[in-house]
Amino acid sequence: MKLILIGTPGAGKGTQAKKLSKYYNIAHISTGDLLREQMQLKTEMGLKIADIINSGQLVSDDIVTSLLDERIKRDDCRNGYILDGYPRNLTQAEGLSRVIGDIDKVVFIDVDDDVIIERMAGRRSCSKCGHMYHIKYNPPAKDNVCDECGENLTQRKDDNEETVRKRLSVYHEATSPIINYYKEKNILLDINGVGDIDDIFSKITDMLKEDV
Ligand SMILES: [Zn+2]
């Protein structure tokens, strides 16, 4: 089974990708991991990638697709794979289908922006012991104070509402054409990503059972 997983940042995509990979015994491929692997192995490609990233540029689609092309030929992909975090725009989606050919299904984990904002903007963490809280879903006993160590809690800079909104709007602009692209190919599964992790997982596997 060859799957692509797309979803808003904060939609729980990584969690579902891991579960799907285990359930179907298919490789979980994240392009971020692929780039890091090349850099760690210090391959010729890895050194090139490190140069690009260190100079603050983005790694080109050509490099990513050629790494993916090599990756899906490895042994652990014999039953298939799930691509997590790629493609992020239409050019990448088109390039990808030229290189790796047909995909069975594209799972889109769909979560309303307001829900994402609530999830992210409510996160607090303890700078001393690293314990994580959520002001609504997992609050500390005493407002803004760590249960474990008594330190005041802080919010990550990226988690404030305005930053999250900006990230989401950038994300939607780039990904709505992909969603239409896969919808037209008739391989898009639109999954409501609000609710219990296991329920969402069952929804995905049920829909895949019907369709693949
Ligand atoms: Zn603490």
Side-chain angles (χ1 to χ4, degrees), residues 1 3 20 24 104-107 189 191 202-212:
M1 185 180 301
L3 301 175
L20 289 164
Y24 291 112
D104 293 311
K105 286 290 165 189
V106 176
V107 178
L189 297 182
I191 308 276
S202 311
K203 260 192 277 180
I204 300 174
T205 50
D206 285 350
M207 284 179 92
L208 287 170
K209 224 176 274 162
E210 284 165 27
D211 274 21
V212 176

Side-chain angles (χ1 to χ4, degrees), residues 125-131 133 145-153:
S125 63
C126 173
S127 54
K128 200 168 161 195
C129 74
H131 208 83
Y133 298 88
V145 175
C146 180
D147 292 343
E148 307 293 321
C149 72
E151 184 79 9
N152 283 338
L153 302 179

Side-chain angles (χ1 to χ4, degrees), residues 5-22:
L5 193 61
I6 48 181
T8 332
K13 195 162 49 74
T15 312
Q16 296 297 338
K18 273 192 206 112
K19 286 173 82 77
L20 289 164
S21 141
K22 211 172 157 194

